Amino acid sequence: MLFKIASIAALASSVAAHMDMTEPCSRFSPYCATRPPLPAGILDYDYSINNPIPYDGSVFKSEIQWTKPVASWTAGQPVTIKFQSGGAAHGGGHCQFAISYDNGKTAAVVHEVMKHCFFNGPSNSNVADVLEYTFDLPADIPASSNAQFIWIWNNAIGNRELYTGIADITIANSGGSKSYTGKSAIYPNHEGYGSIPEFNGDYNTGLSLFENAPNVVVSPGDSAAPPPVPEYSSSAVESKTVAPPAESKTVAPPVGHTPTSQSSAEPTFEVTATGPPAESTVEVTATKHLTDSVYTSSAPTAAPTGSACTHGALQCISGNAGFQECVWGVWSATFACGPGTVCQQTSPDAVVCGWA
């Protein structure tokens, strides 16, 4: 028996639009009330701005800046972030808001809405209750005429996806601050970073990735090179998730982010097996969901002295019903293997959930 997933375009055409940051206006969004002229070489606004970020490549829809800033902010003062109405909100999830001075290479978090972003609490709805957030910009954020504001969202319900927006802004600060230290922005569900499983009602899912992110320093000055953006192992979302298909291409790494691998992976779809294959053939086109799951991490990153484990390492749990990932010195919550499969340690840094 042969199963095949085809025509991603046909599948994608049925997917509803998602969320889009409209204030400050994301680069080349057509949905903002006001927006600057398009820069030379950009022929039209991006009408797919609210689609998920592809698994590999840049973590932003565009690395080209607006022709002029879309907002002017002042350190220590309140700012309001607004989103387009009518987008699919996928039951909420985790949102980060960050500031960068190097076009997103390094970004420090200035505000977070964990668990219920776009909602006032737990929800199974696809219609957002909350479309704007107001918070104070840190008082020690440095002034700059060329800063970037970044929004990052990982949805609670549905396919494991990443959404981002980046807006060009100016920041005023009369206090003379030269740098800002904050938690590093991270991009779960993107190649080179940890993945967050579907919440299934548990809104603590994935919080350890954010809690264990290291601090970074952002600065608009001509100082020494900024600290490297941390790498996160691209562990699987669930037991059916595997590395991208064997056929691959060379892609440029995201701006300032060093992925653990490179591939021609396409958007995620699922193939669910009800039992071990006998003599059947399972063929999957443009998908990262198969019946057996191989989980690998790149060379582990040294964790802080005294940590319980090495960042990026994977281990089967007792009884081999699932596995854990080490995230900055702390073992994550357990990822369960699928029905009929057990975890097998294939190397110190890789496990497989295969048929028992």
Side-chain angles (χ1 to χ4, degrees), residues 4 11 51 75 114-115 128 133 147 159 178 191 202 227 231-232 275 287 289 298 354:
K4 187 171 182 179
L11 290 169
N51 285 355
M114 296 285 102
K115 303 182 180 182
Y133 290 99
N159 289 339
K178 300 298 183 185
E191 184 179 28
D202 180 3
E231 294 182 2
Y232 293 81
T287 181
H289 288 274
S298 61

Side-chain angles (χ1 to χ4, degrees), residues 78-333:
V79 296
T80 297
I81 315 305
K82 296 182 179 181
F83 295 88
Q84 178 195 13
S85 63
H90 288 294
H94 306 317
C95 282
Q96 305 169 81
F97 304 92
I99 293 290
S100 175
Y101 296 95
D102 56 9
N103 206 26
K105 294 184 178 70
T106 311
V109 173
V110 294
H111 188 68
E112 291 180 320
V113 180
M114 296 285 102
K115 303 182 180 182
H116 311 301
C117 195
F118 305 120
F119 292 91
N120 293 309
S123 176
N124 290 323
S125 176
N126 217 21
V127 180
D129 293 332
V130 180
L131 290 174
E132 62 181 70
Y133 290 99
T134 298
F135 55 88
D136 289 342
L137 206 59
D140 54 343
I141 283 284
S144 174
S145 61
N146 185 23
Q148 295 82 43
F149 179 74
I150 297 167
W151 157 68
I152 307 163
W153 173 43
N154 294 107
N155 53 305
I157 298 173
N159 289 339
R160 301 298 76 219
E161 294 170 337
L162 168 70
Y163 300 86
T164 69
I166 182 169
D168 300 296
I169 63 171
T170 68
I171 300 175
N173 188 339
S174 59
S177 175
K178 300 298 183 185
S179 65
Y180 174 77
T181 301
K183 188 188 302 182
S184 175
I186 62 173
Y187 304 87
N189 300 339
H190 188 273
E191 184 179 28
Y193 292 88
S195 296
I196 298 177
E198 189 169 14
F199 288 14
N200 292 317
D202 180 3
Y203 286 86
N204 292 318
T205 301
L207 288 183
S208 62
L209 285 175
F210 303 93
E211 294 168 352
N212 293 313
N215 284 345
V216 293
V217 178
V218 292
S219 171
D222 296 324
S223 57
V229 176
E231 294 182 2
Y232 293 81
S233 72
S234 52
S235 64
V237 173
E238 54 184 351
S239 63
K240 295 190 291 298
T241 304
V242 298
E247 183 180 354
S248 64
K249 64 181 180 181
T250 300
V251 297
V255 173
H257 306 287
T258 305
T260 56
S261 63
Q262 295 176 327
S263 75
S264 57
E266 297 290 346
T268 300
F269 300 94
E270 288 190 5
V271 173
T272 302
T274 57
E279 296 182 356
S280 301
T281 300
V282 178
E283 178 183 342
V284 178
T285 300
T287 181
K288 295 193 289 295
H289 288 274
L290 299 176
T291 52
D292 279 0
S293 305
V294 179
Y295 304 93
T296 61
S297 61
S298 61
T301 305
T305 303
S307 299
C309 56
T310 301
H311 178 66
L314 301 171
Q315 69 171 10
C316 294
I317 63 171
S318 177
N320 298 324
F323 66 95
Q324 293 175 298
E325 174 189 7
C326 181
V327 181
W328 297 109
V330 179
W331 287 112
S332 71

